[in-house]
Amino acid sequence: LHSFVAAVLSITTVLVNAQTSAPLQFAGVNIAGFDFGCSTDGTCSASGAIPPIQQLSGIDGVGQMQHFFNDGYNVFRLPVGWQYLTNDQMTGVLDETQFANYNTLVSDCLNIGAYCIIDIHNYARYNGQVIGQGGPSNEVFAELWSDIASYWKNETKVIFGVMNEPHDIPNISTWAESGMISLDGPGASTQMILLPGTDYTSAKNFVSSGSADALGEVKNPDGTFTNLIMDVHRYLDSDGSGTNAECVTNGIDDSWTPLATWLRANGRKALNTEIGGGNVESCVSYVSQAISYQASQSDVILGYIGWAAGSFATSYVLSQVPSYSGNGWNDTLLVSMTMSPKTNKFVVTVA
């Protein structure tokens, strides 16, 4: 109880310095599983996926999403491996059966009424090789996105996440060009498109890594920046990797403040598509502070999406998977104490 009171007092202190009183536009959860079998070098195996689809794996992804939606969440990020969508072929052409499986999850998400992020979870690579820099050509990557986007081009609640966590990119400007070419597929200014920088999409290093300057040059085919949103991640453990249960910082001074300053100065916006921590008191405190600070900057930071639910085991260190009993779904400590819009009184989302 003492730790929780301290967390609330810390949140109140953060909000004293709020820039805006407007609510965050988005609060959500990653519904993982179609990305299983992928490693950080972009090597994936379609057979390694565990789709969070009841009829395919026994995992009730739609039940989880409905539960979260009922608690006030309004967006779900749906990670998927490139190799899954093309059945392990290095091509931009979608495999009909594999895509239909993934579309089951997307359709479930849309039917609930939520926003749904299509996230290619490949770290700017295909089997170890960087897109447009020794790996798949920009043209193949653009074909992939064209095929994906053409299916959902009329769905206003579909958001296109260009790529999960690029890292160790030889040339960030060249990567930005790859992303720019891929924009010919998605719905340009009619649907949101998430632009990821290098260093695992680090919010902390977004400016210093050169990602801000490079992605700041990416434009819609008509030359505008409309709906081009910066995609950032931030974990609060000791090394920022999201692999440790304990949190040690709120990231405000070294990450969120510099990011918000750059966004405001350049007339841009960002979405925090991965944040989380262990189900421990330190993360209840620090994640609360981080989210509340984001809410104070809601003119430039659109919201947060927790990592992760879906096909993860409840024992996973960052699990936000709700458990089900005869009385319904039961949230994890971190979700129930700070991430859920239903219980976090400092964050209000709008559908």
Side-chain angles (χ1 to χ4, degrees), residues 25-26 159-162 191-196 206 215 225-232 263 268-273 300-303:
Q25 184 174 349
F26 295 114
I159 299 171
F160 299 113
V162 169
Q191 291 163 292
M192 289 186 185
I193 300 171
L194 307 181
L195 305 177
F206 180 73
L215 295 177
F225 298 129
T226 305
N227 279 338
L228 295 182
I229 310 300
M230 302 303 171
D231 190 355
V232 296
L263 293 168
R268 306 306 293 269
K269 298 180 186 296
L271 179 60
N272 176 201
T273 60
V300 292
I301 298 178
L302 299 182

Side-chain angles (χ1 to χ4, degrees), residues 74-86:
N74 62 359
V75 62
F76 299 105
R77 185 170 178 252
L78 311 175
V80 63
W82 181 346
Q83 287 90 333
Y84 185 88
L85 292 175
T86 60

Side-chain angles (χ1 to χ4, degrees), residues 295-311:
S296 80
Q297 308 295 313
S298 63
D299 59 319
V300 292
I301 298 178
L302 299 182
Y304 63 93
I305 304 177
W307 184 270
S311 297

Side-chain angles (χ1 to χ4, degrees), residues 236-251:
L236 307 177
D237 53 352
S238 58
D239 59 3
S241 66
T243 59
N244 304 289
E246 296 289 343
C247 296
V248 300
T249 179
N250 55 29

Side-chain angles (χ1 to χ4, degrees), residues 247-295:
C247 296
V248 300
T249 179
N250 55 29
I252 292 173
D253 290 340
D254 66 9
S255 301
W256 302 118
T257 297
L259 173 65
T261 299
W262 183 90
L263 293 168
R264 197 169 288 116
N266 289 274
R268 306 306 293 269
K269 298 180 186 296
L271 179 60
N272 176 201
T273 60
E274 285 189 27
I275 188 171
N279 288 292
V280 295
E281 291 184 352
S282 63
C283 291
V284 169
S285 176
Y286 284 123
V287 174
S288 292
Q289 293 170 41
I291 290 175
S292 295
Y293 183 79
Q294 290 177 38

Side-chain angles (χ1 to χ4, degrees), residues 25-31 65 68-69 72-78 109 112-118 157-159 192 194 271-273 302-306 341 349-351:
Q25 184 174 349
F26 295 114
V29 184
N30 282 266
I31 305 298
M65 289 189 289
F68 287 127
F69 188 77
Y73 288 97
N74 62 359
V75 62
F76 299 105
R77 185 170 178 252
L78 311 175
C109 176
I112 288 169
Y115 286 85
C116 313
I117 299 176
I118 312 302
K157 287 193 171 183
V158 165
I159 299 171
M192 289 186 185
L194 307 181
L271 179 60
N272 176 201
T273 60
L302 299 182
Y304 63 93
I305 304 177
T349 60
V350 292

Side-chain angles (χ1 to χ4, degrees), residues 129-153:
Q129 297 183 307
V130 177
I131 297 165
Q133 300 184 55
S137 68
N138 288 340
E139 290 72 24
V140 170
F141 188 47
E143 182 181 29
L144 175 72
W145 267 114
S146 179
D147 286 353
I148 290 171
S150 63
Y151 191 86
W152 290 299
K153 63 183 179 181

